[in-house]
Amino acid sequence: MINSPLQKYQQNQVQTSPAQLLLMLYDGAIRFVKSGIAAIEESNFEKTNTNLCKGQAVIHELIAALNYDYPVAKTLYSVYEYMIHCLIQANLKKDVKPAKEALSYLTELREAWEVASKSVNGTAN
């Protein structure tokens, strides 16, 4: 029986697959970008900056996770760099349009990785 929070954390860490971790990164980036967009719309520029910077940080983690043994990594790197550029522009100009563009890419990529993960694990319909 697991009693302490540390033991629960350690068990979850062992049970989390690389695919699940990747999806969690996408979920975090999506959540931060959505919060950044909402903050722009509310004219809360401190919250805008905080959330869009957090979104950028998560995308940097996605870049760090790339495996360059596969040719698709170079393409993903370019897409991630472009999304970071969009978030910087959204933050500087306090404009939702580039943030929404980055959000659309994050959402599409997350869906693609989820489908790929399910097909690799044999759980696709």
Side-chain angles (χ1 to χ4, degrees):
M1 179 175 222
I2 298 174
N3 295 324
S4 79
L6 176 61
Q7 288 173 323
K8 289 179 185 177
Y9 172 79
Q10 289 172 332
Q11 182 181 14
N12 285 340
Q13 200 172 24
V14 169
Q15 293 175 344
T16 305
S17 72
Q20 288 173 308
L21 290 172
L22 187 64
L23 292 174
M24 290 167 62
L25 283 171
Y26 277 108
D27 289 341
I30 290 167
R31 186 177 67 250
F32 291 131
V33 173
K34 283 181 177 179
S35 293
I37 291 168
I40 291 171
E41 292 169 343
E42 298 164 1
S43 297
N44 184 338
F45 301 132
E46 184 178 344
K47 185 178 173 186
T48 297
N49 182 60
T50 299
N51 283 290
L52 294 181
C53 286
K54 286 181 179 181
Q56 290 173 55
V58 175
I59 295 170
H60 281 290
E61 290 300 321
L62 289 167
I63 289 171
L66 289 173
N67 181 344
Y68 289 96
D69 292 339
Y70 300 96
V72 72
K74 289 180 183 178
T75 303
L76 284 171
Y77 177 83
S78 296
V79 173
Y80 292 152
E81 282 292 313
Y82 181 70
M83 285 191 287
I84 290 169
H85 171 77
C86 288
L87 295 180
I88 290 170
Q89 292 303 308
N91 200 359
L92 288 173
K93 297 176 182 176
K94 305 306 182 220
D95 181 7
V96 297
K97 186 177 178 186
K100 286 182 176 181
E101 183 178 1
L103 179 61
S104 71
Y105 292 131
L106 286 166
T107 303
E108 287 179 37
L109 286 168
R110 191 220 180 274
E111 290 170 5
W113 281 112
E114 184 175 33
V115 169
S117 170
K118 287 179 179 178
S119 68
V120 166
N121 292 328
T123 58
N125 293 349

